[in-house]
């Protein structure tokens, strides 16, 4: 999903030249990590399956977490800066919609990992690793963020001073949850590699691919955070935003 970067006028802005290059690089990095995760589970772990094969059902977990909780989550954060000439109301709805898609994929991913533990004989314990603790924490933060943001910025009636007070917290915890998701994904990838790749210490092809995916997670996360926080990349209001502007949003 490559986002457009605005019209010719905004593209000519010298301050946005680096943004455009880094934005495209971010998208390429994100798409590459999705393809590599699919390749990794397809070539080295038997592909995807259902509840009749818990080990293969588990493989939905890294794939859907990568698509939903990393790629879509990151792009939802960047949407205000990526679609620079789109009306703010449209961007708000799109931001919420992408977050909802990420949430659905995350719920499916969580179900598959619990199934893969509970349906094998003997069952594997749940929620004992640091990966699971941090991952679930990231999901909880994500859900609370979504509800708070939806109530404050999409449901009519919220007083403007409350929106202004909430916005810095919404921005901070949105980025914090995303960084926590990246950290959890790297931990989970390492955990899977140690448990499931024979002689991981000798770096077989499955291990090399796992390490490359982990590096891409970190690079993608770093690019998203930088693009979302660099002041010179902030979206400038357009005339159509007049009735919708809020103070100092992450746009």
């Amino acid at each position: 999903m490559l986002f457009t970067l605005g019209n010719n006028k905004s593209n000519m802005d010298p301050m946005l030249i680096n943004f455009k290059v880094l934005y495209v690089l971010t998208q390429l990095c994100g798409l590459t990590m999705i393809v590599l995760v699919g390749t990794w589970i397809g070539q080295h772990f038997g592909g995807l399956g259902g509840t009749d094969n818990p080990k293969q059902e588990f493989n939905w977990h890294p794939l859907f977490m990568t698509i939903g909780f990393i790629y879509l989550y990151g792009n939802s954060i960047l949407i205000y800066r990526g679609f620079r000439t789109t009306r703010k109301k449209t961007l708000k709805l799109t931001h919420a919609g992408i977050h909802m898609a990420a949430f659905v994929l995350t719920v499916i991913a969580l179900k598959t990992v619990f199934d893969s533990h509970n349906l094998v004989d003997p069952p594997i314990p749940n929620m004992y690793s640091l990966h699971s603790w941090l991952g679930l924490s990231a999901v909880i933060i994500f859900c609370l963020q979504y509800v708070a943001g939806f109530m404050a910025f999409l449901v009519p009636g919220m007083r403007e001073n409350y929106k202004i007070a909430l916005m810095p917290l919404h921005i901070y915890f949105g980025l914090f949850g995303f960084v926590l998701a990246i950290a959890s994904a790297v931990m989970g990838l390492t955990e899977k590699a140690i448990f499931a790749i024979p002689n991981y210490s000798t770096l077989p092809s499955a291990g090399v691919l796992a390490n490359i995916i982990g590096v891409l997670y970190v690079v993608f996360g770093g690019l998203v955070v930088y693009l979302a926080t660099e002041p010179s990349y902030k979206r400038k209001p357009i005339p159509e935003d007049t009735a919708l502007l809020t103070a100092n949003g992450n746009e």
Side-chain angles (χ1 to χ4, degrees):
M1 178 172 56
L2 290 175
F3 294 154
T4 55
L5 300 177
N7 59 20
N8 291 334
K9 182 177 179 180
S10 64
N11 286 344
M12 294 301 293
D13 188 341
M15 291 189 300
L16 297 180
I17 294 176
N18 287 341
F19 173 83
K20 292 189 294 179
V21 173
L22 292 175
Y23 195 91
V24 171
L25 181 61
T26 302
Q27 299 306 317
L28 292 175
C29 180
L31 293 171
T32 300
M33 70 188 181
I34 292 172
V35 171
L36 291 184
V37 169
T39 302
W40 190 57
I41 63 180
Q43 290 188 351
H44 300 286
F45 298 105
L48 304 169
T51 55
D52 58 324
N53 190 331
K55 286 186 177 180
Q56 289 185 352
E57 186 186 7
F58 170 85
N59 292 337
W60 289 104
H61 179 74
L63 181 63
F64 277 1
M65 279 299 194
T66 301
I67 297 173
F69 211 42
I70 296 180
Y71 184 69
L72 291 182
Y73 192 174
N75 272 302
S76 185
I77 290 171
L78 292 180
I79 195 166
Y80 288 99
R81 299 188 175 201
F83 289 95
R84 309 188 71 82
T85 59
T86 302
R87 291 185 60 189
K88 190 171 184 181
K89 182 177 182 179
T90 301
L91 293 177
K92 285 184 178 182
L93 293 173
T94 306
H95 178 72
I98 296 174
H99 265 60
M100 177 55 69
F103 172 75
V104 170
L105 291 177
T106 299
V107 169
I108 296 172
L110 290 176
K111 179 184 183 301
T112 62
V113 75
F114 280 108
D115 280 352
S116 71
H117 285 186
N118 297 332
L119 298 179
V120 295
D121 187 18
I124 300 171
N126 293 304
M127 299 300 300
Y128 67 88
S129 68
L130 183 58
H131 162 65
S132 62
W133 287 20
L134 293 185
L136 186 60
S137 297
V139 172
I140 292 172
I141 291 171
F142 177 89
C143 293
L144 293 175
Q145 271 283 101
Y146 189 87
V147 172
F150 188 89
M151 296 299 295
F153 304 115
L154 284 177
V155 176
M158 177 68 74
R159 292 176 57 180
E160 191 67 22
N161 59 329
Y162 290 156
K163 293 183 180 181
I164 293 171
L166 182 60
M167 181 59 77
L169 295 175
H170 185 66
I171 295 170
Y172 171 78
F173 281 104
L175 288 172
F176 176 69
F178 176 69
V179 171
L180 194 58
I182 295 289
S184 177
V186 172
M187 289 182 180
L189 192 67
T190 303
E191 186 177 295
K192 177 68 174 179
I194 292 172
F195 288 162
I197 299 176
N199 301 318
Y200 177 43
S201 62
T202 65
L203 278 184
S205 59
V208 172
L209 190 53
N211 289 357
I212 292 173
I213 293 168
V215 170
L216 288 174
Y217 284 160
V218 173
V219 172
F220 180 79
L223 287 169
V224 168
V225 171
Y226 175 70
L227 292 175
T229 58
E230 170 54 44
S232 64
Y233 299 157
K234 185 179 176 68
R235 173 182 178 273
K236 293 180 174 60
I238 59 176
E240 291 86 347
D241 291 340
T242 302
L244 298 168
L245 289 176
T246 56
N248 297 323
N250 185 29
E251 306 160 3

